Amino acid sequence: METENFPEELADALVGVQRLIRRRLRSEMTMPRLRGAEVELLRLVEVRPGIGISDAAKELFLASNSVSTLVNQLVRDGFMIRETDPADRRAARLQLTETAKTRLSDWHARRAELVRGQVDRLDQADRDALRAALPALRQLAVNLHEEAEES
C-alpha cells in the first residue's frame, strides 16, 4: 500500500542523492566549474555525437537559442566543436573535443567510485533493494521524458 507521501518522499530522495553526489564531485574539482546546463549538453553530445542544435534543444527541453548560447560558450572554452552539416549547410553538428571527453571520462570514473563506496557501506538487503528498484526508476525516467515531450 502506497502512502500518500510516497511520491514526494521519492522525489526528495532522488534530488537529495543527486545534489550530494554533485556537491562531493565539485568539491574535488581543480578545473573551473561548468554550469548544469553546460554539463547536460556535453553529456548529450557524448551519447549522441553529431546531434544538431535543434535536436539537442528538444532533448534538453530548452529553447534553440539557449542551446546555441551554450554551444558558443562551450566552443569558446574548448569543450565542443561545431561542424557544418554536409547535408544542410545551414545546420550544425556538435562534437566533443578531446578536453571534454577527458573531463567527462574523469567525472564518470569519480562518480562511479563515489557511489560504489557509498553503496558498499549499505547492508546486503539495502543493496539488493536498490538493484531491484533500478528498472522501475528507469521506467519512471522514460515516463517523465515522454510526458515532457507531449507538453
Side-chain angles (χ1 to χ4, degrees):
M1 178 173 160
E2 288 187 34
T3 66
E4 73 181 59
N5 293 334
F6 174 70
E8 188 172 349
E9 291 173 3
L10 175 62
D12 287 346
L14 293 173
V15 168
V17 167
Q18 180 62 26
R19 181 178 46 248
L20 291 167
I21 289 171
R22 193 173 46 245
R23 283 183 183 165
R24 289 277 306 271
L25 293 176
R26 282 181 181 164
S27 71
E28 300 167 3
M29 298 253 339
T30 57
M31 300 173 249
R33 193 164 79 185
L34 294 170
R35 295 178 310 167
E38 292 170 328
V39 173
E40 285 183 45
L41 180 56
L42 288 173
R43 291 180 68 198
L44 176 60
V45 175
E46 179 182 36
V47 296
R48 294 191 47 202
I51 191 170
I53 290 174
S54 63
D55 287 339
K58 287 177 192 166
E59 188 74 24
L60 297 172
F61 304 102
L62 296 171
S64 288
N65 63 337
S66 296
V67 172
S68 186
T69 299
L70 290 171
V71 168
N72 289 339
Q73 177 74 31
L74 291 166
V75 167
R76 190 187 77 222
D77 292 345
F79 292 110
M80 191 168 289
I81 299 165
R82 181 193 303 110
E83 300 173 332
T84 302
D85 184 341
D88 179 358
R89 308 284 301 157
R90 299 167 295 162
R93 294 287 161 221
L94 306 175
Q95 302 288 342
L96 297 181
T97 64
E98 288 304 315
T99 300
K101 290 176 185 178
T102 300
R103 186 163 176 168
L104 286 171
S105 176
D106 175 63
W107 179 83
H108 287 299
R110 290 185 309 110
R111 183 179 68 167
E113 182 180 333
L114 171 64
V115 173
R116 184 179 305 108
Q118 296 306 311
V119 169
D120 287 349
R121 294 177 60 189
L122 299 173
D123 64 30
Q124 188 61 48
D126 285 343
R127 288 194 302 268
D128 290 344
L130 287 174
R131 184 171 283 110
L134 285 175
L137 290 169
R138 287 185 185 116
Q139 187 59 51
L140 178 62
V142 167
N143 293 350
L144 287 166
H145 187 80
E146 287 174 352
E147 186 175 287
E149 284 184 334
E150 293 169 4
S151 300

